[in-house]
Amino acid sequence: MATINIKGQSTLIAFLLALLLIALILIPTYYLLLSYSKPSVKVSNFALIAKNQINGGSVSIFYYDAPGKDKGNITLLLFSGNGNFTLTSVYTIYNGSIINITKEVEAIIIKPTGNVPIGTLPQPLIYNFTTESTISTTINNRNVLISVWQSILILQIEAYNQTIFVTLYPNETALS
């Protein structure tokens, strides 16, 4: 008789533990999973999101390549620069090939008295950058003059342990 009573008590304890497990873990998890697919009731303010993204880390880059007297230089103008971003490489497209022109690009500070060169790449995106519109390079063991004027530039930017590639068209603005 004593063994039957102990068996009933252990069955009751197991039932109560299972009921407690269902009440404390499974039911709240069920309601949590049900609410994941529901859209947010709060309406997003996209203007504020864009402003926080730009002011919080993004950099806007303007690729200045206008015809006329300034045809000898190509300039990348940076607005709201950020020292967390580093321009490491610049590429251009020539006859279907991507050509590295990093050695030809230098960082500058634009002042009313003229451009002040800072140095070659890599440099943080707190400076502006410039290069000549015609660059001499070696392709297939031949020296070739490449006209970078009115061509697409590809920038390699490193930020927060990630590499970002930005495609710039002449006289266009890009956000990275």
Side-chain angles (χ1 to χ4, degrees):
M1 220 28 134
T3 57
I4 296 173
N5 194 10
I6 293 176
K7 185 178 180 184
Q9 285 178 350
S10 65
T11 305
L12 178 65
I13 291 173
F15 174 75
L16 291 176
L17 285 174
L19 193 61
L20 186 66
L21 177 72
I22 290 171
L24 292 178
I25 296 174
L26 295 178
I27 293 174
T29 304
Y30 173 74
Y31 282 111
L32 180 69
L33 292 174
L34 278 180
S35 66
Y36 273 140
S37 63
K38 292 181 184 175
S40 177
V41 178
K42 182 180 175 184
V43 179
S44 296
N45 182 357
F46 293 108
L48 182 62
I49 291 170
K51 180 181 176 189
N52 288 340
Q53 181 65 23
I54 292 168
N55 292 337
S58 289
V59 177
S60 56
I61 304 169
F62 180 71
Y63 173 21
Y64 178 71
D65 188 13
K69 294 179 183 177
D70 294 334
K71 191 174 174 182
N73 286 332
I74 295 168
T75 307
L76 300 176
L77 301 172
L78 278 77
F79 303 103
S80 67
N82 191 327
N84 295 324
F85 291 79
T86 302
L87 179 62
T88 56
S89 298
V90 178
Y91 304 92
T92 189
I93 299 174
Y94 175 74
N95 289 341
S97 298
I98 297 175
I99 306 297
N100 188 345
I101 61 169
T102 304
K103 292 186 286 185
E104 307 296 328
V105 178
E106 68 176 357
I108 58 169
I109 296 176
I110 298 175
K111 292 189 174 185
T113 57
N115 296 343
V116 178
I118 301 299
T120 57
L121 299 182
Q123 292 287 344
L125 291 185
I126 55 174
Y127 305 113
N128 298 303
F129 300 92
T130 187
T131 186
E132 296 291 323
S133 64
T134 304
I135 294 171
S136 175
T137 188
T138 304
I139 300 174
N140 296 331
N141 297 325
R142 289 183 19 216
N143 283 342
V144 179
L145 288 176
I146 296 176
S147 177
V148 183
W149 187 72
Q150 291 293 317
S151 67
I152 299 170
L153 293 182
I154 302 168
L155 308 180
Q156 180 181 346
I157 299 173
E158 292 182 4
Y160 306 109
N161 296 327
Q162 293 182 355
T163 300
I164 304 163
F165 289 94
V166 178
T167 304
L168 283 172
Y169 296 93
N171 300 318
E172 294 286 332
T173 302
L175 291 175
S176 65

